Amino acid sequence: MATWLRVLAVMLFVGMACSPAYAGHVSDNFDSAILAQTTITGIAAIGVGLAVVGIGLGIGRIGGSACESAARQPEMFGKIQTLMLISAALIEGAGFVAIILAFLK
C-alpha cells in the first residue's frame, strides 16, 4: 500500500511541477486565468496517468487469468483467447474514453 501512495505522490508532484510550463510567459501582474488553465491541465495529466495505470492493470489481470485458464484446460485455449481479446478491447476502449474526457476541459 505504501508503494501505491509513493507512486501517487510522485504523479501528483510531476503533474503540478510541469503544469506551469504550459503557461508561457507570465508577466509581473498576476493572471488568475493562466493559473487556472495550468492547474486544469495538470489535473488532466494526472487523470490521464491514472487512466493508463488502470488500463495496464486491467489488461495484465486479464492476461494472467487467461494464461492460468489455458494451463488448466488446454483444449479451451481458442475460446479463452477470444474472450481475452474481447475483454482487452473493451478495457482499452473505456480507457481511451477516459483519456479523451480528461482533456476535454
Side-chain angles (χ1 to χ4, degrees), residues 84-100:
M84 179 187 68
L85 291 175
I86 291 171
S87 299
L90 290 173
I91 289 174
E92 284 187 13
F96 287 142
V97 168
I99 291 170
I100 290 169

Side-chain angles (χ1 to χ4, degrees), residues 13-100:
F13 175 74
V14 170
M16 290 306 191
C18 294
S19 61
Y22 294 111
H25 177 70
V26 178
S27 61
D28 290 337
N29 45 351
F30 182 75
D31 191 4
S32 61
I34 292 175
L35 179 63
Q37 183 66 31
T38 56
T39 304
I40 290 171
T41 305
I43 291 171
I46 292 170
V48 168
L50 291 174
V52 169
V53 167
I55 292 169
L57 289 173
I59 292 176
R61 187 167 180 171
I62 288 173
S65 297
C67 288
E68 289 176 6
S69 299
R72 290 183 184 164
Q73 293 182 337
E75 67 276 2
M76 297 295 292
F77 178 73
K79 290 183 180 181
I80 293 169
Q81 184 180 18
T82 303
L83 292 173
M84 179 187 68
L85 291 175
I86 291 171
S87 299
L90 290 173
I91 289 174
E92 284 187 13
F96 287 142
V97 168
I99 291 170
I100 290 169

